[in-house]
Amino acid sequence: MGYGDIMKVDTSGASALTARQDGLPYEGAEASHNMAETDLNALNVYKEIIQKVGQQKGIDPAIIASIISRQSRGGKVLKEGWGDDGNCWGLMQISKNYHTPKGGWDSEEHIRQGTDILIGVIGNIKTIFRAWTPEQQLKGGLAAYNCGPRAVRAYDRVDENTSGGDFSNDVVARAQWYKRHGGF
């Protein structure tokens, strides 16, 4: 795929704060993998759509699946399609403050829009950080999906402004698990 190899992206995984959502007494990639596995059945409902959009957009489907896992736990935590106190829409949690959400909360149109937003912020990161490798730009783009491209300032602090202080690291670790074990 054209946005770097998710399996080559370094990751520290989930923070203790994120891991506590599932009552896990540990953090790191192991916690991310545990949460990814917990969400696998919910994600399998959308697997065909995720794979289709990923193939059409040139984004690894495991990355889309991992964003859905992190953002909405496969839809399990949404209230009538909304999360983040009614500010974010759908499986990929598109903020109504920055975008006009499209489609039903679990629709292909929604997943396509979320993926387009991700592609856009990866492009922003590529422009800002030209010297980064494609894998670093991918990780920076994942952070930017959560906090915006201007809030990504340095690779060694890529998640300093993301939710839980670990968004890209957690998403990368989940995506790596989905590549190995989830069939994405």
Side-chain angles (χ1 to χ4, degrees), residues 140-154:
L142 289 168
Y145 184 86
N146 180 257
C147 66
R150 285 185 228 120
V152 177
R153 296 192 177 96

Side-chain angles (χ1 to χ4, degrees), residues 69-110:
S69 173
R70 168 67 185 231
Q71 292 288 76
S72 68
R73 304 306 301 267
K76 296 182 291 186
V77 301
L78 302 178
K79 293 182 175 96
E80 298 180 4
W82 292 97
D84 192 27
D85 297 320
N87 290 304
C88 294
W89 176 247
L91 293 171
M92 295 185 77
Q93 288 294 275
I94 296 171
S95 173
K96 69 179 186 181
N97 299 318
Y98 300 99
H99 307 279
T100 301
K102 297 178 183 173
W105 66 271
D106 63 349
S107 67
E108 181 177 332
E109 185 178 11
H110 165 74

Side-chain angles (χ1 to χ4, degrees), residues 87-180:
N87 290 304
C88 294
W89 176 247
L91 293 171
M92 295 185 77
Q93 288 294 275
I94 296 171
S95 173
K96 69 179 186 181
N97 299 318
Y98 300 99
H99 307 279
T100 301
K102 297 178 183 173
W105 66 271
D106 63 349
S107 67
E108 181 177 332
E109 185 178 11
H110 165 74
I111 293 172
R112 187 176 314 286
Q113 181 184 21
T115 303
D116 285 341
I117 292 167
L118 175 62
I119 289 168
V121 293
I122 292 171
N124 295 143
I125 293 299
K126 284 180 175 186
T127 299
I128 297 166
F129 299 104
R130 294 179 191 279
W132 286 8
T133 68
E135 285 73 24
Q136 291 172 321
Q137 292 168 341
L138 173 58
K139 188 173 177 181
L142 289 168
Y145 184 86
N146 180 257
C147 66
R150 285 185 228 120
V152 177
R153 296 192 177 96
Y155 189 74
D156 62 342
R157 298 185 326 271
V158 70
D159 278 326
E160 72 182 345
N161 294 309
T162 66
S163 302
D166 68 344
F167 186 87
S168 71
N169 278 289
D170 182 31
V171 168
V172 166
R174 291 183 199 216
Q176 291 171 346
W177 190 90
Y178 287 129
K179 284 289 279 186
R180 288 186 190 108

Side-chain angles (χ1 to χ4, degrees), residues 55-74:
Q55 184 176 28
Q56 289 173 346
K57 299 291 182 177
I59 288 280
D60 191 321
I63 296 169
I64 299 170
S66 65
I67 290 172
I68 292 170
S69 173
R70 168 67 185 231
Q71 292 288 76
S72 68
R73 304 306 301 267

